[in-house]
Amino acid sequence: MPISDLVAAFMVGILGAGHCMSMCGGVAAAVSFGTSNSQNKLPYLLFYNGGRLLSYGIIGAIGGGLVSGIVGVSQVSQSLIWLRLAAAIMMILLALYIGQFWNGLSYVERLGKGLWRHISPLTSKLLPLKSPFAALPFGMVWGWLPCGLVYSALSWAAVSGNAFHGLLIMLAFGLGTLPAMLFVGTSAESLKKLLNNMIFRKFSSLILIMYGIVTAYSVYNQL
């Protein structure tokens, strides 16, 4: 996998962090504010976000493994090249989604709502958080929260070629969201305004779109 793909996934995470702060920023703030003033809140946030990223990596590996397995069984000619082309297209669609040029990927959020109904009751059983380590499984559960951005990134990870590449894509994406989520409750509001600034989002997403087009074109020439 080209390192540039991981950089692109990291950028997607940074650009989408404003959305993440809206979706689960309240949960991260609750993790922080749920501790006493005498406690260091940073370990709680680190373990919470570590659990969230761990879930992202797991679902990325599952998605990448399943799709590559199906393609392998079907014995499609030049299957890896076709997956690479699909990944480039998903990158473009995801950039369009982030820049709000096209919201066609928003439907994927609905796919996880049924699963979330079964998982979400676990969150109440994990509260209150008695130690920073207790925030790890709490974050893992919230990593499965139905989110159009996360599921769109997962679609990219699923066509990345194999389970390991899927894991790397989702981890890079998750790391991109990490700085903003750690700042929840401090400078979060000013950071959120920057990340949701449409000029900033559109300009940055155009860079991703150009990279996706170049990647798709180079892969297409190999067919």
Side-chain angles (χ1 to χ4, degrees), residues 1-217:
M1 168 180 287
I3 191 67
S4 51
D5 279 13
L6 299 181
V7 173
F10 182 78
M11 282 187 62
V12 168
I14 290 177
L15 296 175
H19 178 76
C20 291
M21 291 168 74
S22 299
M23 289 290 290
C24 53
V27 182
V31 170
S32 176
F33 298 144
T35 61
S36 67
N37 292 331
S38 61
Q39 289 177 303
N40 186 355
K41 298 173 174 39
L42 183 58
Y44 285 84
L45 288 173
L46 287 174
F47 274 98
Y48 163 76
N49 283 286
R52 185 172 59 87
L53 266 63
L54 186 56
S55 283
Y56 288 174
I58 291 172
I59 60 177
I62 292 173
L66 282 176
V67 172
S68 63
I70 292 171
V71 171
V73 169
S74 64
Q75 296 182 338
V76 177
S77 177
Q78 297 178 306
S79 58
L80 290 178
I81 295 179
W82 281 108
L83 281 177
R84 179 68 178 150
L85 180 60
I89 293 172
M90 277 307 308
M91 188 190 311
I92 295 170
L93 295 179
L94 191 50
L96 290 170
Y97 178 74
I98 288 175
Q100 295 186 10
F101 295 107
W102 179 69
N103 292 321
L105 288 179
S106 58
Y107 76 94
V108 299
E109 194 169 309
R110 305 173 195 165
L111 299 177
K113 288 185 177 179
L115 177 63
W116 179 244
R117 279 197 295 268
H118 297 287
I119 296 177
S120 58
L122 292 173
T123 58
S124 59
K125 296 179 180 179
L126 294 170
L127 293 174
L129 301 176
K130 297 180 179 179
S131 68
F133 185 74
L136 180 68
F138 186 74
M140 288 185 67
V141 174
W142 276 97
W144 295 83
L145 176 73
C147 170
L149 181 64
V150 173
Y151 289 174
S152 298
L154 176 59
S155 301
W156 177 10
V159 293
S160 60
N162 57 52
F164 184 61
H165 289 172
L167 180 146
L168 290 179
I169 286 288
M170 289 304 293
L171 283 182
F173 163 77
L175 286 172
T177 69
L178 186 58
M181 295 300 292
L182 288 177
F183 280 121
V184 166
T186 53
S187 57
E189 203 55 41
S190 57
L191 182 61
K192 187 176 178 179
K193 287 180 180 179
L194 171 64
L195 294 172
N196 287 329
N197 181 280
M198 287 312 302
I199 296 177
F200 173 74
R201 287 169 67 92
K202 288 184 183 296
F203 177 76
S204 302
S205 61
L206 283 172
I207 296 175
L208 288 172
I209 290 169
M210 290 173 61
Y211 172 66
I213 291 173
V214 171
T215 301
Y217 180 76

